[in-house]
Amino acid sequence: MAFDLTGKNGAVGFVGLGQGIAMLFLSPVGGTLSDRVSKKRMLTFAQFVIGFMFGVIAVLIATGLITILLLAGASLILGCMYSLMGPTRQAWVGDLLTGDDLASGVGLHS
């Protein structure tokens, strides 16, 4: 979509940069929050926001109102949610499984 809007390869990198920066800086925060907040609620919240953002992007594309800045902003928000979800999912495996199943669950998750 970024390339279609601008015709430049750099626009694709700009949109990806928003997600990458959010994940780089917020993943440690996501790990800390996953230890202090309900993992189920955190995952539900993050998945709701991701679904909502995809819906907003779809509506903006369908109406022709999408811009490169809106796309980059949505990418930043999605990166924030992914950085919450990743550590939370990894930590949840340890809460759900025990013994030999834990080793298998960690391997399957990886």
Side-chain angles (χ1 to χ4, degrees):
M1 187 74 228
F3 184 79
D4 289 342
L5 283 172
T6 63
K8 298 178 183 177
N9 292 328
V12 178
F14 177 67
V15 170
L17 181 68
Q19 187 172 359
I21 286 176
M23 292 181 74
L24 177 68
F25 290 110
L26 292 179
S27 289
V29 174
T32 303
L33 283 174
S34 71
D35 290 337
R36 289 170 170 68
V37 179
S38 166
K39 291 171 184 61
K40 182 179 178 182
R41 286 186 181 174
M42 190 175 210
L43 287 173
T44 302
F45 169 75
Q47 289 176 337
F48 174 79
V49 172
I50 289 169
F52 179 77
M53 287 308 301
F54 279 126
V56 168
I57 293 168
V59 168
L60 290 172
I61 290 171
T63 58
L65 298 174
I66 191 76
T67 65
I68 193 69
L69 289 177
L70 289 174
L71 196 58
S75 175
L76 180 71
I77 293 170
L78 290 173
C80 291
M81 293 302 108
Y82 291 142
S83 56
L84 293 178
M85 278 185 12
T88 304
R89 285 187 177 184
Q90 289 177 343
W92 206 5
V93 171
D95 289 349
L96 295 175
L97 303 173
T98 59
D100 292 337
D101 291 338
L102 178 60
S104 298
V106 169
L108 184 61
H109 188 332
S110 295

